Amino acid sequence: MATSPSHSIEKDRVSDSQLEKARDGYDFGGESQLPTPPSLTEEEERRLYRKIDLRLMPILCVMYLMSFLDRGNARLQGLESQLNLVGNQYNIALTMYFIPYCIFECPANLVLKKFRPSIWLPSITVVWGVVMTLMGLVKNYPQLVGVRVCLGIAEAGLFPGVTYYLTLWYPRHALQYRIGLFFGAASLAGAFSGLLAFGISFMSGTQGLLGWSWIFILEGIATVTVGLVAFFVLVDFPVTAKFLTPEERAYVIWKKKYDNSSVGEEEHFSFHHIIQAISDWQIWLHILIYFSIVGPLYGITLFLPFGEFSTAQSQLLTVPPYVFATVVLFCFAHFSDKLRLRSPFIYAALIMCLIGFSINISDVPPGVKYFGTFLCVAGSYAGFPGVVAWLGNNLAGQYKRGVGMALHIGIGNFSGAIASNVYRTRDKPRFIVGHGIELMFVGMGLICVPLAVTIYKRINKKREIEIREGKKTYTPAELRALGDRAPDFRYIL
């Protein structure tokens, strides 16, 4: 956690020195409109953030759950046969989703604050729900590709937008658990989508449509409904959150102001913030770490389960690994925030993936491979919130963080495009090429995570020495401009 130059900021109390600094003419988060922030005990602070959780997290989780429900199961309900997909056409259709999805993530984050989260996030949810519904009505391969492109554009703003949005509400040490709650909806979706697809499959033939069409239509209609509800439930920023008292709003803003800086972070847009993000070494290193988790995550999501099973068995066998992954995800998120460490849990997740994919690439019985999928799913899903939270924790300046996280997630998701094409039908049942490429991704992470930790430790130590020697002083404006490069900023490991 960042400290003041004198390293005397009290952990959870509003000090006189901080209030004095707040009067340097910089109005952070609209704090000038609010009363003086109160001093809260640890229990009072927990109750406050629990109140925020109950307002923000349920609708965000349901929105993200809807975006994951359609992935994978429609293939088992006759999509390929009815649309006469041959060769790698199904894989190409999957890939065409990722290209616009990755391209539009960064622009989407830049407009989030301009259009307000309570308008932007529900709007894109309604749009992709409509697109998903239309996907159930496509009649041929070109139409499928076209609708997949539209779906990628519509969904692009959700995940990077919500993760950036959460950084505006929660302090750094509380972020991974909230991203875990949000992303946990994806692992639950993996379980529910198998059950839903199994139930919806009995509608096959109704109105002349096969089961895959009804999966998209019904889940698309449900998504539109969730988006409409979100217009009335979602709130924008702490300063305008009417469900909080003025004192509670002031405390949340104060907590964020001194979360990673002694003077508050920069929150006004400048083109310079884009340049700062693009030129920051840590974003590009974290993209490689993101590859190492997201490649396996998308691969396992789109093609689970591996092996020779009937359609009904395949739908039901997807459920237990995702339930297990959800439990592991929440355990990792809880202890990562409690210990204020990210890298050990990411590394543990990578080890789980390494063991799981090594089992699946081996010539072993289906039951043993099914056990391996538990490790693949749990490792990739449980590690993902930590990967996102780690970079979000270590970027300062609201727009730099927004651009940096969008680049991180946008470019990183191209590994999903790769994963969509590595499990080829002709490689059944062992999928040696697919599993081998996933192991390559995992190996990349096993190298890059310790490298990032080493660099962060070295920089933190150098800044400690700079503060101790006090050879150079900075104005509050200079510290805000420096952001995460300021001498009082400490990288989380």
Side-chain angles (χ1 to χ4, degrees):
M1 192 172 187
T3 59
S4 69
S6 63
H7 296 275
S8 62
I9 291 178
E10 190 175 352
K11 179 181 174 184
D12 290 315
R13 302 275 180 165
V14 184
S15 69
D16 292 337
S17 63
Q18 289 171 328
L19 291 176
E20 186 61 37
K21 289 174 186 174
R23 300 186 185 103
D24 68 3
Y26 185 64
D27 183 20
F28 178 81
E31 63 183 346
S32 63
Q33 307 170 36
L34 300 170
T36 300
S39 293
L40 301 182
T41 65
E42 288 188 8
E43 180 57 32
E44 289 171 334
E45 182 181 297
R46 276 196 295 269
R47 284 202 300 268
L48 171 58
Y49 282 107
R50 199 176 302 128
K51 183 178 180 180
I52 296 171
D53 289 341
L54 291 174
R55 183 57 185 266
L56 301 185
M57 299 312 301
I59 188 64
L60 294 175
C61 290
V62 173
M63 289 164 69
Y64 196 57
L65 184 148
M66 300 312 297
S67 76
F68 255 75
L69 275 180
D70 72 306
R71 303 185 183 188
N73 290 287
R75 186 183 193 184
L76 299 172
Q77 292 298 332
L79 184 150
E80 285 182 294
S81 59
Q82 187 173 24
L83 298 186
N84 298 313
L85 302 184
V86 296
N88 63 350
Q89 287 184 329
Y90 177 78
N91 300 76
I92 292 174
L94 293 178
T95 303
M96 294 308 294
Y97 163 86
F98 285 104
I99 294 174
Y101 183 81
C102 298
I103 292 173
F104 283 92
E105 285 187 314
C106 189
N109 256 20
L110 286 175
V111 302
L112 175 69
K113 288 188 75 174
K114 181 71 174 177
F115 286 95
R116 296 168 41 201
S118 64
I119 300 297
W120 177 251
L121 296 175
S123 296
I124 62 176
T125 302
V126 170
V127 171
W128 99 61
V130 171
V131 174
M132 192 190 301
T133 303
L134 295 176
M135 194 180 300
L137 304 177
V138 300
K139 302 300 181 184
N140 53 51
Y141 173 63
Q143 290 178 4
L144 176 65
V145 171
V147 177
R148 289 286 298 176
V149 170
C150 293
L151 186 65
I153 295 172
E155 285 191 16
L158 182 68
F159 187 79
V162 171
T163 52
Y164 171 53
Y165 173 64
L166 292 176
T167 67
L168 304 177
W169 281 86
Y170 295 99
R172 293 201 292 174
H173 67 268
L175 184 62
Q176 182 169 337
Y177 184 71
R178 273 68 188 193
I179 293 178
L181 286 174
F182 172 61
F183 190 71
S187 54
L188 285 177
F192 286 132
S193 61
L195 293 173
L196 285 173
F198 178 71
I200 294 172
S201 67
F202 292 103
M203 292 183 65
S204 185
T206 304
Q207 299 296 319
L209 300 174
L210 293 184
W212 70 268
S213 290
W214 284 113
I215 289 174
F216 287 131
I217 291 171
L218 295 180
E219 293 177 358
I221 292 172
T223 300
V224 171
T225 303
V226 170
L228 294 174
V229 171
F231 278 111
F232 300 97
V233 177
L234 205 59
V235 295
D236 291 317
F237 308 108
V239 70
T240 57
K242 294 182 179 179
F243 73 97
L244 298 176
T245 67
E247 290 75 16
E248 289 172 334
R249 290 181 233 165
Y251 184 85
V252 171
I253 292 172
W254 166 80
K255 191 75 174 178
K256 277 303 303 174
K257 181 172 184 176
Y258 297 108
D259 180 37
N260 57 16
S261 171
S262 61
V263 295
E265 65 178 355
E266 181 61 57
E267 57 177 351
H268 300 294
F269 176 73
S270 168
F271 187 75
H272 179 61
H273 298 140
I274 299 177
I275 302 300
Q276 280 185 326
I278 293 174
S279 60
D280 195 329
W281 64 270
Q282 59 174 325
I283 290 174
W284 300 103
L285 182 57
H286 274 269
I287 285 173
L288 298 179
I289 298 172
Y290 192 95
F291 276 171
S292 71
I293 289 289
V294 171
L297 186 151
Y298 274 112
I300 207 74
T301 298
L302 295 169
F303 293 93
L304 182 72
F306 305 118
E308 299 296 330
F309 303 101
S310 69
T311 298
Q313 287 177 321
S314 294
Q315 303 285 18
L316 295 175
L317 285 171
T318 60
V319 177
Y322 284 109
V323 173
F324 175 66
T326 304
V327 174
V328 177
L329 184 154
F330 289 139
C331 288
F332 276 24
H334 171 77
F335 287 105
S336 179
D337 276 350
K338 185 174 182 179
L339 298 174
R340 303 191 182 195
L341 290 172
R342 306 294 181 223
S343 57
F345 297 92
I346 297 171
Y347 213 77
L350 289 167
I351 294 296
M352 293 175 71
C353 288
L354 176 66
I355 297 172
F357 283 108
S358 296
I359 290 173
N360 273 282
I361 204 172
S362 305
D363 187 13
V364 294
V368 178
K369 289 192 174 187
Y370 185 55
F371 166 75
T373 63
F374 276 76
L375 299 178
C376 295
V377 176
S380 57
Y381 274 82
F384 184 78
V387 170
V388 176
W390 197 14
L391 181 64
N393 287 162
N394 288 337
L395 292 175
Q398 291 187 1
Y399 276 98
K400 180 188 176 181
R401 185 166 60 247
V403 172
M405 293 182 75
L407 286 172
H408 182 221
I409 296 168
I411 298 175
N413 273 333
F414 275 109
S415 61
I418 297 172
S420 300
N421 290 279
V422 299
Y423 288 101
R424 303 172 299 182
T425 304
R426 65 175 179 268
D427 293 334
K428 286 184 178 180
R430 288 184 63 184
F431 293 105
I432 292 177
V433 172
H435 294 322
I437 291 175
E438 302 292 21
L439 285 169
M440 176 201 72
F441 280 130
V442 172
M444 188 187 304
L446 293 173
I447 295 171
C448 290
V449 170
L451 178 61
V453 171
T454 301
I455 297 173
Y456 282 146
K457 282 184 175 180
R458 187 172 299 171
I459 294 174
N460 283 347
K461 184 177 181 180
K462 183 179 178 181
R463 290 176 181 174
E464 289 285 354
I465 295 172
E466 182 180 352
I467 290 289
R468 190 163 52 247
E469 293 178 348
K471 292 181 179 179
K472 185 175 182 181
T473 59
Y474 298 86
T475 66
E478 288 174 331
L479 289 174
R480 281 192 289 270
L482 285 170
D484 52 79
R485 298 182 182 182
D488 64 336
F489 185 93
R490 297 294 177 269
Y491 290 118
I492 285 180
L493 304 180

